[in-house]
């Protein structure tokens, strides 16, 4: 059964207007703070030969999918599962805060789903939270500004509620670790309404060209021109962005360390609106998801790791993102075929929900997607030059610190040995997952 055919009881009109803060607990906050710095043993050696002769499209890194996502609380999950059954399995994954992924999980590409919220408060009362009676949500959702979460009303838990908050976390870690490989941030614009019978769910604001101007402005409010790689930087004096990447190529690693770059996941009308008045992405922040032959073609999304076009795209000069796993299927079955195909394809960004061991929610698995050899990055198997050395690309990494219990009130097991409290917050504790059966049908 699809989530889009789910029927839920109507929301009570008498819910309290006060909202409690959503937090990760003292232990998780301490871990987050520690992740902004790296032990001296992890400092990169910065080989000038690598920095000067290897370009950012000539390496391969691991990315995380829906990088902000957390599991909703146990009562909410139980309610959702009672309506959609095993389809809930496909939303049964979560990630640590972004700086922890960078510092302790070797992640160098992330994904953020963004919802426009011009006036603020549009998503401050998630429907399933009210139905489950787990209390009011965080007042941070009342503030105007773009919000970050998966699906309105039914899968909303996140490590950073607003785009600016997410970006501020990223910049904090980047500023503390200025020699990292560039961090690629895939942005998916969300505005799809949910229609379940006669019940009213939150209708998102549409992403139009004016709203996309606001998106660029929010990004620029956190990152300055010297912090980012933008289309104008890559295009240079070329007429089109595509001509630039196919001839002069992308910036070198030496010119890109400590920077971020943004890419649009969407195509179709979203891409058209973003290009309006900005031919070949002039003046824009994001690289669009284009196709070879388009003036703006530089970044290409090919989520199917078995897509035979990927190696040729990489060899030609495009940057490609693909996925090692999706919707928990590969992890539940310990199916490494797609992961291995993704790595072999040469796609520069290989996205996963399992960048380290022990991230399964509700089941046990040995599945993990990492760069072979255990390095943060590796020389691209398709176009990596002779001067490239895996171990010299980025060594800002330290193993995940042990997790310790910080609360005595827990209700359900969540990934990486953490648990959730009744209000849906996560609290670290060593506790194994329990296997469950079933096939999921929802694609999120």
């Amino acid at each position: 059964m699809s989530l889009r055919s789910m029927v839920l009881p109507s929301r009570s009109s008498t819910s309290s207007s006060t909202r409690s803060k959503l937090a990760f607990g003292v232990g998780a906050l301490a871990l987050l703070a520690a992740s902004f710095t790296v032990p001296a043993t992890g400092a990169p050696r910065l080989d000038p030969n690598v920095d000067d002769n290897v370009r950012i499209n000539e390496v391969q890194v691991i990315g995380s999918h829906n990088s902000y996502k957390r599991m909703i609380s146990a009562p909410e999950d139980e309610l959702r599962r009672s309506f959609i059954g095993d389809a809930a399995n496909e939303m049964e994954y979560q990630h640590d805060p972004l700086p922890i992924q960078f510092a302790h999980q070797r992640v160098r590409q992330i994904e953020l789903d963004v919802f426009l919220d011009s006036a603020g408060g549009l998503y401050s009362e998630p429907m399933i939270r009210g139905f489950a009676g787990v209390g009011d949500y965080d007042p941070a959702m009342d503030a105007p500004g773009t919000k970050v979460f998966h699906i309105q009303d039914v899968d909303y838990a996140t490590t950073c509620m607003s785009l600016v908050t997410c970006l501020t976390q990223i910049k904090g870690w980047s500023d503390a670790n200025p020699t990292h490989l560039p961090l690629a941030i895939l942005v998916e614009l969300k505005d799809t309404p949910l229609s379940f019978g006669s019940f009213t769910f939150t209708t998102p604001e549409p992403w139009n060209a004016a709203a996309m101007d606001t998106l660029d402005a929010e990004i620029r409010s956190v990152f300055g021109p010297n912090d980012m790689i933008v289309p104008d930087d890559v295009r240079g004096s070329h007429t089109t962005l595509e001509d630039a990447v196919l001839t002069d190529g992308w910036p070198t690693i030496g010119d890109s360390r400590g920077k971020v770059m943004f890419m649009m996941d969407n195509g179709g009308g979203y891409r058209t609106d973003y290009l309006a008045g900005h031919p070949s992405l002039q003046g824009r922040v994001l690289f669009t998801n284009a196709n070879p032959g388009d003036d703006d073609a530089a970044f290409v999304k090919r989520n199917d790791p078995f897509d035979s076009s990927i190696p040729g795209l990489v060899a030609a000069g495009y940057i490609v993102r693909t996925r090692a796993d999706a919707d928990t299927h590969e992890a539940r079955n310990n199916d490494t075929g797609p992961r291995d195909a993704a790595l072999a394809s040469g796609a520069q960004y290989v996205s996963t929900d399992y960048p380290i061991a022990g991230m399964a929610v509700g089941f046990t698995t040995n599945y993990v997607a990492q760069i072979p050899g255990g390095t943060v990055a590796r020389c691209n198997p398709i176009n990596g030059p002779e001067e490239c050395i895996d171990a010299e690309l980025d060594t800002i990494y330290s193993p995940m610190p042990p997790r310790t219990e910080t609360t005595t009130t827990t209700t359900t097991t969540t990934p990486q040995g953490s648990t959730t409290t009744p209000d849906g917050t996560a609290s670290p504790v060593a506790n194994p997952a329990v296997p469950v059966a079933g096939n999921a049908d929802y694609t999120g």
Side-chain angles (χ1 to χ4, degrees), residues 22-23 70-74 76 129 134 156-157 420-426:
L22 185 64
R70 298 298 297 179
M71 286 290 292
I72 56 177
S73 69
E76 294 168 283
R129 190 177 181 91
V134 294
Y156 64 89
T420 55
T421 60
D423 68 351
T425 64

Side-chain angles (χ1 to χ4, degrees), residues 157-170:
T158 175
T159 63
C160 46
M161 296 182 180
S162 72
L163 177 61
V164 168
T165 299
C166 296
L167 299 183
T168 300
Q169 290 182 7
I170 296 167

Side-chain angles (χ1 to χ4, degrees), residues 7 34 54 112 121 141 166 179 183 200 224 260 312 334 357 441:
V7 179
V54 182
L112 302 176
M141 295 298 280
C166 296
T179 56
L183 304 174
T200 303
V260 298
N334 198 23
D441 298 319

Side-chain angles (χ1 to χ4, degrees), residues 70-71 93-95 358-361 403 413-419:
R70 298 298 297 179
M71 286 290 292
Y93 63 92
Q94 66 179 0
H95 290 283
M359 293 191 68
V361 183
R403 297 169 184 263
T413 301
T414 55
Q416 301 180 41
S418 65
T419 61

Side-chain angles (χ1 to χ4, degrees), residues 29-109:
L29 288 175
L31 181 59
L32 176 60
S35 297
F36 283 99
T37 59
V38 174
T41 54
R45 290 184 289 172
L46 301 178
D47 186 323
N49 198 42
V50 170
D51 275 21
D52 294 343
N53 294 289
V54 182
R55 297 182 180 273
I56 63 173
N57 65 310
E58 295 173 335
V59 302
Q60 186 178 62
V61 299
I62 290 294
S64 58
H65 161 252
N66 289 349
S67 312
Y68 55 85
K69 188 180 179 304
R70 298 298 297 179
M71 286 290 292
I72 56 177
S73 69
E76 294 168 283
D77 185 53
E78 182 180 357
L79 177 62
R80 184 171 65 189
R81 190 170 290 277
S82 72
F83 287 101
I84 65 174
D86 288 341
N89 291 350
E90 298 199 356
M91 290 175 278
E92 201 171 40
Y93 63 92
Q94 66 179 0
H95 290 283
D96 283 308
L98 303 175
I100 293 176
Q101 295 181 47
F102 301 143
H104 305 302
Q105 299 175 9
R106 305 185 185 93
V107 168
R108 292 296 180 267
Q109 182 259 311

Side-chain angles (χ1 to χ4, degrees), residues 231-406:
D232 287 342
D233 298 329
V234 178
R235 189 188 321 97
S237 60
H238 290 265
T239 303
T240 71
L241 184 59
E242 183 182 55
D243 184 48
V245 300
L246 298 184
T247 53
D248 290 350
W250 292 83
T252 64
I253 287 177
D255 289 336
S256 306
R257 289 193 184 276
K259 296 186 178 183
V260 298
M261 58 185 293
F262 292 84
M263 307 170 300
M264 181 184 290
D265 181 89
N266 313 73
Y270 299 95
R271 170 177 165 266
T272 301
D273 285 347
Y274 194 68
L275 284 166
H278 300 269
S280 204
L281 295 172
Q282 294 177 18
R284 283 302 198 186
V285 172
L286 279 67
F287 291 87
T288 42
N289 172 22
N291 286 307
D294 295 330
D295 287 352
D296 55 318
F299 162 65
V300 179
K301 185 181 73 172
R302 294 289 186 268
N303 282 345
D304 178 3
F306 297 105
D307 189 323
S308 61
S309 71
I310 295 176
L313 293 168
V314 172
Y318 302 100
I319 280 182
V320 182
R321 181 259 194 170
T322 194
R323 295 183 66 175
D325 46 77
D327 307 319
T328 79
H329 293 303
E330 289 79 9
R332 289 177 190 274
N333 298 311
N334 198 23
D335 178 6
T336 60
R339 177 201 69 188
D340 296 344
L343 291 167
S345 75
Q348 289 88 349
Y349 305 129
V350 177
S351 180
T352 181
D353 286 315
Y354 307 91
I356 62 172
M359 293 191 68
V361 183
F363 63 98
T364 56
T365 183
N366 293 322
Y367 181 86
V368 67
Q370 296 176 339
I371 292 295
T375 53
V376 174
R378 73 167 176 172
C379 306
N380 195 289
I382 298 299
N383 65 353
E386 292 182 2
E387 296 88 348
C388 187
I389 304 170
D390 294 353
E392 300 291 344
L393 294 171
D394 187 331
T395 60
I396 304 175
Y397 166 74
S398 61
M400 195 77 173
R403 297 169 184 263
T404 56
E405 187 168 1
T406 58

